[in-house]
mmCIF file of all heavy atoms in Angstrom:
data_model
loop_
_atom_site.group_PDB
_atom_site.id
_atom_site.type_symbol
_atom_site.label_atom_id
_atom_site.label_comp_id
_atom_site.label_asym_id
_atom_site.label_seq_id
_atom_site.Cartn_x
_atom_site.Cartn_y
_atom_site.Cartn_z
ATOM 1 N N LEU A 831 23.182 6.330 -10.551
ATOM 2 C CA LEU A 831 22.456 7.550 -10.150
ATOM 3 C C LEU A 831 21.276 7.294 -9.361
ATOM 4 O O LEU A 831 20.984 8.172 -8.572
ATOM 5 C CB LEU A 831 21.968 8.213 -11.577
ATOM 6 C CG LEU A 831 23.122 8.868 -12.365
ATOM 7 C CD1 LEU A 831 22.594 9.370 -13.755
ATOM 8 C CD2 LEU A 831 23.761 10.068 -11.658
ATOM 9 N N LEU A 832 20.755 6.101 -9.408
ATOM 10 C CA LEU A 832 19.653 5.775 -8.573
ATOM 11 C C LEU A 832 20.072 5.676 -7.088
ATOM 12 O O LEU A 832 19.398 6.025 -6.147
ATOM 13 C CB LEU A 832 18.996 4.454 -9.026
ATOM 14 C CG LEU A 832 17.964 4.461 -10.064
ATOM 15 C CD1 LEU A 832 17.601 3.092 -10.595
ATOM 16 C CD2 LEU A 832 16.719 5.226 -9.814
ATOM 17 N N LEU A 833 21.281 5.184 -6.958
ATOM 18 C CA LEU A 833 21.816 4.957 -5.580
ATOM 19 C C LEU A 833 22.373 6.176 -5.048
ATOM 20 O O LEU A 833 22.432 6.379 -3.759
ATOM 21 C CB LEU A 833 23.014 3.879 -5.580
ATOM 22 C CG LEU A 833 22.443 2.437 -5.784
ATOM 23 C CD1 LEU A 833 23.722 1.491 -5.939
ATOM 24 C CD2 LEU A 833 21.576 1.959 -4.729
ATOM 25 N N ALA A 834 22.835 7.198 -5.835
ATOM 26 C CA ALA A 834 23.347 8.458 -5.316
ATOM 27 C C ALA A 834 22.237 9.184 -4.655
ATOM 28 O O ALA A 834 21.184 9.382 -5.119
ATOM 29 C CB ALA A 834 23.867 9.290 -6.531
ATOM 30 N N GLY A 835 22.584 9.661 -3.382
ATOM 31 C CA GLY A 835 21.567 10.375 -2.631
ATOM 32 C C GLY A 835 20.525 9.484 -2.016
ATOM 33 O O GLY A 835 19.486 9.935 -1.301
ATOM 34 N N CYS A 836 20.586 8.151 -2.099
ATOM 35 C CA CYS A 836 19.728 7.227 -1.445
ATOM 36 C C CYS A 836 20.210 6.724 -0.124
ATOM 37 O O CYS A 836 21.448 6.726 0.085
ATOM 38 C CB CYS A 836 19.364 6.022 -2.405
ATOM 39 S SG CYS A 836 18.200 6.343 -3.632
ATOM 40 N N GLN A 837 19.274 6.314 0.718
ATOM 41 C CA GLN A 837 19.764 5.732 1.944
ATOM 42 C C GLN A 837 18.870 4.396 2.144
ATOM 43 O O GLN A 837 17.733 4.473 1.746
ATOM 44 C CB GLN A 837 19.543 6.609 3.098
ATOM 45 C CG GLN A 837 18.105 7.161 3.327
ATOM 46 C CD GLN A 837 17.946 8.135 4.475
ATOM 47 O OE1 GLN A 837 18.839 8.359 5.272
ATOM 48 N NE2 GLN A 837 16.827 8.816 4.629
ATOM 49 N N ALA A 838 19.513 3.383 2.545
ATOM 50 C CA ALA A 838 18.884 2.133 2.829
ATOM 51 C C ALA A 838 18.085 2.289 4.194
ATOM 52 O O ALA A 838 18.661 2.741 5.189
ATOM 53 C CB ALA A 838 19.914 1.014 2.981
ATOM 54 N N VAL A 839 16.875 1.847 4.225
ATOM 55 C CA VAL A 839 16.062 2.057 5.408
ATOM 56 C C VAL A 839 15.201 0.731 5.670
ATOM 57 O O VAL A 839 15.066 -0.058 4.794
ATOM 58 C CB VAL A 839 15.054 3.162 5.334
ATOM 59 C CG1 VAL A 839 15.758 4.509 5.146
ATOM 60 C CG2 VAL A 839 14.096 3.003 4.180
ATOM 61 N N ASN A 840 14.971 0.540 6.971
ATOM 62 C CA ASN A 840 13.983 -0.532 7.223
ATOM 63 C C ASN A 840 12.863 0.219 7.873
ATOM 64 O O ASN A 840 12.756 0.625 9.053
ATOM 65 C CB ASN A 840 14.705 -1.374 8.430
ATOM 66 C CG ASN A 840 15.846 -2.194 7.728
ATOM 67 O OD1 ASN A 840 15.749 -2.856 6.754
ATOM 68 N ND2 ASN A 840 16.967 -2.244 8.456
ATOM 69 N N THR A 841 11.773 0.311 7.158
ATOM 70 C CA THR A 841 10.662 1.122 7.579
ATOM 71 C C THR A 841 9.853 0.324 8.653
ATOM 72 O O THR A 841 9.160 0.982 9.482
ATOM 73 C CB THR A 841 9.654 1.365 6.401
ATOM 74 O OG1 THR A 841 9.234 0.139 5.762
ATOM 75 C CG2 THR A 841 10.383 2.289 5.415
ATOM 76 N N THR A 842 9.889 -0.965 8.604
ATOM 77 C CA THR A 842 9.079 -1.787 9.569
ATOM 78 C C THR A 842 9.843 -3.012 10.074
ATOM 79 O O THR A 842 10.853 -3.401 9.444
ATOM 80 C CB THR A 842 7.754 -2.244 8.955
ATOM 81 O OG1 THR A 842 8.068 -3.230 7.831
ATOM 82 C CG2 THR A 842 6.845 -1.264 8.386
ATOM 83 N N SER A 843 9.431 -3.597 11.138
ATOM 84 C CA SER A 843 9.979 -4.806 11.654
ATOM 85 C C SER A 843 9.390 -5.851 10.714
ATOM 86 O O SER A 843 8.390 -5.639 10.030
ATOM 87 C CB SER A 843 9.748 -4.985 13.088
ATOM 88 O OG SER A 843 8.325 -5.142 13.273
ATOM 89 N N GLY A 844 9.995 -7.101 10.712
ATOM 90 C CA GLY A 844 9.485 -8.122 9.842
ATOM 91 C C GLY A 844 8.215 -8.774 10.394
ATOM 92 O O GLY A 844 7.463 -9.282 9.466
ATOM 93 N N GLY A 845 7.929 -8.761 11.570
ATOM 94 C CA GLY A 845 6.780 -9.386 12.024
ATOM 95 C C GLY A 845 6.790 -10.811 11.980
ATOM 96 O O GLY A 845 7.739 -11.432 11.391
ATOM 97 N N SER A 846 5.793 -11.558 12.240
ATOM 98 C CA SER A 846 5.625 -12.909 12.117
ATOM 99 C C SER A 846 5.597 -13.373 10.750
ATOM 100 O O SER A 846 5.994 -14.564 10.398
ATOM 101 C CB SER A 846 4.379 -13.490 12.864
ATOM 102 O OG SER A 846 4.417 -13.292 14.331
ATOM 103 N N VAL A 847 5.180 -12.514 9.848
ATOM 104 C CA VAL A 847 5.056 -12.860 8.328
ATOM 105 C C VAL A 847 6.495 -12.646 7.637
ATOM 106 O O VAL A 847 6.606 -13.007 6.572
ATOM 107 C CB VAL A 847 4.074 -11.984 7.720
ATOM 108 C CG1 VAL A 847 2.714 -12.445 8.129
ATOM 109 C CG2 VAL A 847 4.287 -10.529 7.886
ATOM 110 N N GLY A 848 7.418 -12.023 8.379
ATOM 111 C CA GLY A 848 8.751 -11.912 7.794
ATOM 112 C C GLY A 848 9.000 -11.077 6.588
ATOM 113 O O GLY A 848 9.808 -11.399 5.717
ATOM 114 N N VAL A 849 8.391 -9.842 6.622
ATOM 115 C CA VAL A 849 8.704 -8.923 5.546
ATOM 116 C C VAL A 849 9.993 -8.145 5.824
ATOM 117 O O VAL A 849 9.940 -7.294 6.769
ATOM 118 C CB VAL A 849 7.453 -7.875 5.403
ATOM 119 C CG1 VAL A 849 7.896 -6.838 4.403
ATOM 120 C CG2 VAL A 849 6.328 -8.678 4.900
ATOM 121 N N GLU A 850 11.023 -8.448 5.244
ATOM 122 C CA GLU A 850 12.352 -7.904 5.596
ATOM 123 C C GLU A 850 13.144 -7.115 4.487
ATOM 124 O O GLU A 850 14.279 -6.796 4.684
ATOM 125 C CB GLU A 850 13.350 -9.051 6.075
ATOM 126 C CG GLU A 850 12.761 -9.872 7.231
ATOM 127 C CD GLU A 850 13.019 -9.096 8.627
ATOM 128 O OE1 GLU A 850 13.515 -7.934 8.601
ATOM 129 O OE2 GLU A 850 12.539 -9.645 9.674
ATOM 130 N N ARG A 851 12.475 -7.017 3.390
ATOM 131 C CA ARG A 851 13.144 -6.331 2.228
ATOM 132 C C ARG A 851 13.754 -4.958 2.579
ATOM 133 O O ARG A 851 12.985 -4.058 3.108
ATOM 134 C CB ARG A 851 12.199 -6.193 1.062
ATOM 135 C CG ARG A 851 12.730 -5.459 -0.223
ATOM 136 C CD ARG A 851 11.813 -5.454 -1.298
ATOM 137 N NE ARG A 851 10.599 -4.662 -0.969
ATOM 138 C CZ ARG A 851 10.518 -3.255 -1.147
ATOM 139 N NH1 ARG A 851 11.470 -2.557 -1.659
ATOM 140 N NH2 ARG A 851 9.419 -2.627 -0.920
ATOM 141 N N LYS A 852 15.042 -4.736 2.181
ATOM 142 C CA LYS A 852 15.669 -3.436 2.317
ATOM 143 C C LYS A 852 15.129 -2.510 1.323
ATOM 144 O O LYS A 852 14.954 -2.780 0.155
ATOM 145 C CB LYS A 852 17.188 -3.546 2.262
ATOM 146 C CG LYS A 852 17.877 -2.296 2.548
ATOM 147 C CD LYS A 852 19.465 -2.502 2.472
ATOM 148 C CE LYS A 852 19.907 -3.372 3.599
ATOM 149 N NZ LYS A 852 21.416 -3.582 3.532
ATOM 150 N N GLN A 853 14.752 -1.231 1.792
ATOM 151 C CA GLN A 853 14.162 -0.275 0.890
ATOM 152 C C GLN A 853 15.161 0.867 0.680
ATOM 153 O O GLN A 853 15.934 1.259 1.628
ATOM 154 C CB GLN A 853 12.862 0.365 1.480
ATOM 155 C CG GLN A 853 11.788 -0.680 1.502
ATOM 156 C CD GLN A 853 10.693 -0.320 2.330
ATOM 157 O OE1 GLN A 853 10.673 -0.310 3.602
ATOM 158 N NE2 GLN A 853 9.596 0.285 1.722
ATOM 159 N N TYR A 854 15.179 1.626 -0.466
ATOM 160 C CA TYR A 854 16.078 2.703 -0.745
ATOM 161 C C TYR A 854 15.325 3.906 -0.911
ATOM 162 O O TYR A 854 14.317 3.918 -1.740
ATOM 163 C CB TYR A 854 16.990 2.485 -1.891
ATOM 164 C CG TYR A 854 17.980 1.432 -1.699
ATOM 165 C CD1 TYR A 854 17.805 0.069 -1.855
ATOM 166 C CD2 TYR A 854 19.178 1.733 -1.110
ATOM 167 C CE1 TYR A 854 18.731 -0.868 -1.609
ATOM 168 C CE2 TYR A 854 20.225 0.823 -0.825
ATOM 169 C CZ TYR A 854 19.973 -0.477 -0.938
ATOM 170 O OH TYR A 854 20.874 -1.471 -0.794
ATOM 171 N N MET A 855 15.495 4.968 -0.099
ATOM 172 C CA MET A 855 14.732 6.240 -0.144
ATOM 173 C C MET A 855 15.731 7.434 -0.397
ATOM 174 O O MET A 855 16.766 7.407 0.089
ATOM 175 C CB MET A 855 14.039 6.544 1.162
ATOM 176 C CG MET A 855 13.266 5.392 1.585
ATOM 177 S SD MET A 855 11.653 5.122 0.670
ATOM 178 C CE MET A 855 10.754 3.912 1.774
ATOM 179 N N PHE A 856 15.264 8.360 -1.178
ATOM 180 C CA PHE A 856 16.089 9.556 -1.333
ATOM 181 C C PHE A 856 16.136 10.326 -0.010
ATOM 182 O O PHE A 856 15.019 10.668 0.536
ATOM 183 C CB PHE A 856 15.523 10.458 -2.445
ATOM 184 C CG PHE A 856 16.074 10.207 -3.744
ATOM 185 C CD1 PHE A 856 15.525 9.257 -4.660
ATOM 186 C CD2 PHE A 856 17.366 10.873 -4.111
ATOM 187 C CE1 PHE A 856 16.075 9.062 -5.809
ATOM 188 C CE2 PHE A 856 17.901 10.522 -5.343
ATOM 189 C CZ PHE A 856 17.302 9.728 -6.130
ATOM 190 N N SER A 857 17.245 10.635 0.423
ATOM 191 C CA SER A 857 17.455 11.256 1.700
ATOM 192 C C SER A 857 16.879 12.702 1.729
ATOM 193 O O SER A 857 16.456 13.254 2.830
ATOM 194 C CB SER A 857 18.914 11.473 2.083
ATOM 195 O OG SER A 857 19.714 12.030 1.158
ATOM 196 N N ALA A 858 16.791 13.370 0.553
ATOM 197 C CA ALA A 858 16.164 14.640 0.507
ATOM 198 C C ALA A 858 14.579 14.670 0.463
ATOM 199 O O ALA A 858 14.013 15.702 0.636
ATOM 200 C CB ALA A 858 16.645 15.373 -0.830
ATOM 201 N N LEU A 859 14.054 13.494 0.472
ATOM 202 C CA LEU A 859 12.655 13.226 0.551
ATOM 203 C C LEU A 859 12.218 12.595 1.877
ATOM 204 O O LEU A 859 12.196 11.351 1.891
ATOM 205 C CB LEU A 859 12.149 12.490 -0.690
ATOM 206 C CG LEU A 859 10.639 12.361 -0.862
ATOM 207 C CD1 LEU A 859 10.032 13.667 -1.216
ATOM 208 C CD2 LEU A 859 10.401 11.445 -2.055
ATOM 209 N N SER A 860 12.080 13.358 2.934
ATOM 210 C CA SER A 860 11.872 12.853 4.184
ATOM 211 C C SER A 860 10.422 12.216 4.404
ATOM 212 O O SER A 860 9.509 12.603 3.716
ATOM 213 C CB SER A 860 12.101 13.745 5.344
ATOM 214 O OG SER A 860 11.086 14.777 5.420
ATOM 215 N N THR A 861 10.272 11.373 5.407
ATOM 216 C CA THR A 861 8.990 10.818 5.793
ATOM 217 C C THR A 861 8.083 11.921 6.205
ATOM 218 O O THR A 861 6.861 11.860 5.692
ATOM 219 C CB THR A 861 9.105 9.836 6.906
ATOM 220 O OG1 THR A 861 9.977 8.688 6.633
ATOM 221 C CG2 THR A 861 7.784 9.345 7.387
ATOM 222 N N ASP A 862 8.483 12.833 6.920
ATOM 223 C CA ASP A 862 7.612 13.944 7.400
ATOM 224 C C ASP A 862 7.228 14.759 6.278
ATOM 225 O O ASP A 862 5.970 15.102 6.178
ATOM 226 C CB ASP A 862 8.321 14.821 8.380
ATOM 227 C CG ASP A 862 8.513 14.196 9.791
ATOM 228 O OD1 ASP A 862 7.800 13.197 10.046
ATOM 229 O OD2 ASP A 862 9.350 14.720 10.516
ATOM 230 N N GLU A 863 8.046 15.046 5.238
ATOM 231 C CA GLU A 863 7.684 15.912 4.022
ATOM 232 C C GLU A 863 6.539 15.176 3.237
ATOM 233 O O GLU A 863 5.551 15.720 2.810
ATOM 234 C CB GLU A 863 8.853 16.078 3.158
ATOM 235 C CG GLU A 863 9.852 17.171 3.773
ATOM 236 C CD GLU A 863 11.081 17.290 2.977
ATOM 237 O OE1 GLU A 863 11.613 16.216 2.443
ATOM 238 O OE2 GLU A 863 11.618 18.324 2.876
ATOM 239 N N VAL A 864 6.778 13.874 3.092
ATOM 240 C CA VAL A 864 5.764 13.089 2.360
ATOM 241 C C VAL A 864 4.388 13.095 3.112
ATOM 242 O O VAL A 864 3.351 13.336 2.518
ATOM 243 C CB VAL A 864 6.241 11.691 2.088
ATOM 244 C CG1 VAL A 864 5.161 10.822 1.342
ATOM 245 C CG2 VAL A 864 7.455 11.719 1.051
ATOM 246 N N ASN A 865 4.503 12.832 4.366
ATOM 247 C CA ASN A 865 3.253 12.805 5.151
ATOM 248 C C ASN A 865 2.533 14.172 5.176
ATOM 249 O O ASN A 865 1.315 14.149 5.006
ATOM 250 C CB ASN A 865 3.572 12.575 6.607
ATOM 251 C CG ASN A 865 4.040 11.058 6.882
ATOM 252 O OD1 ASN A 865 4.070 10.282 5.897
ATOM 253 N ND2 ASN A 865 4.441 10.750 8.114
ATOM 254 N N GLN A 866 3.254 15.255 5.179
ATOM 255 C CA GLN A 866 2.611 16.620 5.134
ATOM 256 C C GLN A 866 2.024 16.738 3.781
ATOM 257 O O GLN A 866 0.873 17.359 3.615
ATOM 258 C CB GLN A 866 3.600 17.680 5.366
ATOM 259 C CG GLN A 866 4.077 17.700 6.849
ATOM 260 C CD GLN A 866 5.334 18.547 7.182
ATOM 261 O OE1 GLN A 866 5.626 19.361 6.334
ATOM 262 N NE2 GLN A 866 5.903 18.465 8.381
ATOM 263 N N MET A 867 2.802 16.377 2.733
ATOM 264 C CA MET A 867 2.176 16.598 1.330
ATOM 265 C C MET A 867 0.867 15.794 1.095
ATOM 266 O O MET A 867 -0.088 16.338 0.631
ATOM 267 C CB MET A 867 3.173 16.124 0.283
ATOM 268 C CG MET A 867 4.340 17.104 0.056
ATOM 269 S SD MET A 867 5.373 16.736 -1.353
ATOM 270 C CE MET A 867 6.278 15.204 -0.745
ATOM 271 N N TYR A 868 0.923 14.554 1.692
ATOM 272 C CA TYR A 868 -0.276 13.776 1.433
ATOM 273 C C TYR A 868 -1.494 14.338 2.391
ATOM 274 O O TYR A 868 -2.602 14.350 1.961
ATOM 275 C CB TYR A 868 0.015 12.325 1.828
ATOM 276 C CG TYR A 868 -1.169 11.456 1.430
ATOM 277 C CD1 TYR A 868 -1.444 11.074 0.142
ATOM 278 C CD2 TYR A 868 -2.195 10.985 2.452
ATOM 279 C CE1 TYR A 868 -2.563 10.337 -0.184
ATOM 280 C CE2 TYR A 868 -3.324 10.386 2.059
ATOM 281 C CZ TYR A 868 -3.484 9.970 0.677
ATOM 282 O OH TYR A 868 -4.555 9.302 0.429
ATOM 283 N N ALA A 869 -1.129 14.797 3.585
ATOM 284 C CA ALA A 869 -2.196 15.377 4.453
ATOM 285 C C ALA A 869 -2.876 16.405 3.788
ATOM 286 O O ALA A 869 -4.094 16.689 3.902
ATOM 287 C CB ALA A 869 -1.562 15.799 5.801
ATOM 288 N N GLN A 870 -2.176 17.384 2.979
ATOM 289 C CA GLN A 870 -2.806 18.461 2.274
ATOM 290 C C GLN A 870 -3.797 17.903 1.197
ATOM 291 O O GLN A 870 -4.943 18.331 1.117
ATOM 292 C CB GLN A 870 -1.775 19.326 1.675
ATOM 293 C CG GLN A 870 -1.009 20.106 2.756
ATOM 294 C CD GLN A 870 0.185 20.823 2.074
ATOM 295 O OE1 GLN A 870 0.456 20.860 0.921
ATOM 296 N NE2 GLN A 870 0.834 21.613 2.914
ATOM 297 N N SER A 871 -3.191 16.819 0.466
ATOM 298 C CA SER A 871 -4.106 16.285 -0.558
ATOM 299 C C SER A 871 -5.387 15.641 0.016
ATOM 300 O O SER A 871 -6.470 15.678 -0.490
ATOM 301 C CB SER A 871 -3.278 15.243 -1.305
ATOM 302 O OG SER A 871 -4.087 14.570 -2.305
ATOM 303 N N TYR A 872 -5.153 14.973 1.175
ATOM 304 C CA TYR A 872 -6.198 14.194 1.854
ATOM 305 C C TYR A 872 -7.294 15.218 2.255
ATOM 306 O O TYR A 872 -8.608 14.996 2.142
ATOM 307 C CB TYR A 872 -5.646 13.532 3.101
ATOM 308 C CG TYR A 872 -6.618 12.701 3.892
ATOM 309 C CD1 TYR A 872 -7.051 11.412 3.518
ATOM 310 C CD2 TYR A 872 -7.121 13.147 5.123
ATOM 311 C CE1 TYR A 872 -7.734 10.569 4.214
ATOM 312 C CE2 TYR A 872 -8.004 12.381 5.826
ATOM 313 C CZ TYR A 872 -8.310 11.016 5.316
ATOM 314 O OH TYR A 872 -9.187 10.316 6.151
ATOM 315 N N GLN A 873 -6.883 16.308 2.945
ATOM 316 C CA GLN A 873 -7.827 17.343 3.334
ATOM 317 C C GLN A 873 -8.648 17.911 2.129
ATOM 318 O O GLN A 873 -9.756 18.267 2.283
ATOM 319 C CB GLN A 873 -7.175 18.455 4.104
ATOM 320 C CG GLN A 873 -6.707 17.978 5.465
ATOM 321 C CD GLN A 873 -7.631 17.311 6.430
ATOM 322 O OE1 GLN A 873 -8.853 17.834 6.437
ATOM 323 N NE2 GLN A 873 -7.352 16.152 7.036
ATOM 324 N N GLN A 874 -7.982 18.093 1.048
ATOM 325 C CA GLN A 874 -8.716 18.589 -0.152
ATOM 326 C C GLN A 874 -9.684 17.559 -0.648
ATOM 327 O O GLN A 874 -10.834 18.011 -1.020
ATOM 328 C CB GLN A 874 -7.624 18.859 -1.322
ATOM 329 C CG GLN A 874 -8.187 19.440 -2.558
ATOM 330 C CD GLN A 874 -8.945 20.800 -2.334
ATOM 331 O OE1 GLN A 874 -8.446 21.493 -1.510
ATOM 332 N NE2 GLN A 874 -9.914 20.992 -3.084
ATOM 333 N N THR A 875 -9.404 16.310 -0.677
ATOM 334 C CA THR A 875 -10.386 15.322 -1.045
ATOM 335 C C THR A 875 -11.510 15.290 -0.099
ATOM 336 O O THR A 875 -12.724 15.173 -0.563
ATOM 337 C CB THR A 875 -9.635 13.876 -1.005
ATOM 338 O OG1 THR A 875 -8.534 13.840 -1.833
ATOM 339 C CG2 THR A 875 -10.759 12.700 -1.232
ATOM 340 N N LEU A 876 -11.406 15.446 1.215
ATOM 341 C CA LEU A 876 -12.480 15.435 2.162
ATOM 342 C C LEU A 876 -13.311 16.777 2.030
ATOM 343 O O LEU A 876 -14.608 16.685 2.031
ATOM 344 C CB LEU A 876 -11.853 15.511 3.624
ATOM 345 C CG LEU A 876 -11.109 14.252 4.032
ATOM 346 C CD1 LEU A 876 -10.853 14.329 5.510
ATOM 347 C CD2 LEU A 876 -11.885 12.964 3.761
ATOM 348 N N LYS A 877 -12.646 17.836 1.687
ATOM 349 C CA LYS A 877 -13.327 19.109 1.412
ATOM 350 C C LYS A 877 -14.279 18.981 0.174
ATOM 351 O O LYS A 877 -15.487 19.425 0.317
ATOM 352 C CB LYS A 877 -12.343 20.231 1.167
ATOM 353 C CG LYS A 877 -12.951 21.641 0.924
ATOM 354 C CD LYS A 877 -11.952 22.674 0.835
ATOM 355 C CE LYS A 877 -12.495 24.097 0.604
ATOM 356 N NZ LYS A 877 -11.360 25.042 0.424
ATOM 357 N N GLU A 878 -13.736 18.382 -0.906
ATOM 358 C CA GLU A 878 -14.493 18.159 -2.097
ATOM 359 C C GLU A 878 -15.736 17.217 -1.770
ATOM 360 O O GLU A 878 -16.850 17.476 -2.294
ATOM 361 C CB GLU A 878 -13.694 17.701 -3.206
ATOM 362 C CG GLU A 878 -12.711 18.608 -3.676
ATOM 363 C CD GLU A 878 -11.717 18.004 -4.746
ATOM 364 O OE1 GLU A 878 -11.860 16.808 -5.040
ATOM 365 O OE2 GLU A 878 -10.710 18.802 -5.205
ATOM 366 N N ALA A 879 -15.450 16.190 -1.061
ATOM 367 C CA ALA A 879 -16.513 15.158 -0.769
ATOM 368 C C ALA A 879 -17.574 15.979 0.095
ATOM 369 O O ALA A 879 -18.806 15.651 -0.124
ATOM 370 C CB ALA A 879 -15.993 13.983 -0.047
ATOM 371 N N SER A 880 -17.182 16.648 1.056
ATOM 372 C CA SER A 880 -18.134 17.418 1.981
ATOM 373 C C SER A 880 -19.069 18.394 1.134
ATOM 374 O O SER A 880 -20.170 18.438 1.336
ATOM 375 C CB SER A 880 -17.319 18.106 3.002
ATOM 376 O OG SER A 880 -18.185 18.816 3.938
ATOM 377 N N SER A 881 -18.416 19.100 0.279
ATOM 378 C CA SER A 881 -19.091 20.011 -0.729
ATOM 379 C C SER A 881 -20.193 19.378 -1.534
ATOM 380 O O SER A 881 -21.125 20.018 -1.877
ATOM 381 C CB SER A 881 -18.148 20.901 -1.523
ATOM 382 O OG SER A 881 -17.604 20.034 -2.584
ATOM 383 N N GLN A 882 -19.891 18.136 -1.741
ATOM 384 C CA GLN A 882 -20.902 17.368 -2.670
ATOM 385 C C GLN A 882 -21.865 16.574 -1.745
ATOM 386 O O GLN A 882 -22.632 15.735 -2.282
ATOM 387 C CB GLN A 882 -20.055 16.358 -3.536
ATOM 388 C CG GLN A 882 -19.190 17.116 -4.443
ATOM 389 C CD GLN A 882 -18.132 16.154 -5.141
ATOM 390 O OE1 GLN A 882 -18.277 14.955 -4.966
ATOM 391 N NE2 GLN A 882 -17.210 16.701 -5.989
ATOM 392 N N GLY A 883 -21.799 16.665 -0.470
ATOM 393 C CA GLY A 883 -22.633 15.883 0.402
ATOM 394 C C GLY A 883 -22.303 14.456 0.452
ATOM 395 O O GLY A 883 -23.083 13.645 0.922
ATOM 396 N N ALA A 884 -21.104 14.081 0.164
ATOM 397 C CA ALA A 884 -20.683 12.769 0.107
ATOM 398 C C ALA A 884 -19.816 12.252 1.279
ATOM 399 O O ALA A 884 -19.526 11.061 1.417
ATOM 400 C CB ALA A 884 -19.872 12.407 -1.304
ATOM 401 N N LEU A 885 -19.437 13.195 2.142
ATOM 402 C CA LEU A 885 -18.570 12.856 3.291
ATOM 403 C C LEU A 885 -19.498 12.225 4.550
ATOM 404 O O LEU A 885 -20.305 13.036 4.926
ATOM 405 C CB LEU A 885 -17.778 14.014 3.750
ATOM 406 C CG LEU A 885 -16.754 13.688 4.872
ATOM 407 C CD1 LEU A 885 -15.710 12.684 4.450
ATOM 408 C CD2 LEU A 885 -16.035 15.011 5.253
#
Side-chain angles (χ1 to χ4, degrees):
L831 289 174
L832 280 171
L833 289 174
C836 280
Q837 57 183 350
V839 299
N840 293 313
T841 54
T842 61
S843 66
S846 296
V847 290
V849 174
E850 300 283 3
R851 178 179 62 90
K852 186 177 292 185
Q853 297 167 279
Y854 289 91
M855 308 286 190
F856 268 93
S857 55
L859 188 65
S860 72
T861 297
D862 287 343
E863 287 172 325
V864 173
N865 289 357
Q866 289 169 12
M867 284 189 290
Y868 188 80
Q870 293 174 358
S871 174
Y872 183 81
Q873 291 305 319
Q874 183 60 34
T875 298
L876 297 185
K877 183 178 179 181
E878 291 173 2
S880 182
S881 69
Q882 297 165 6
L885 187 60

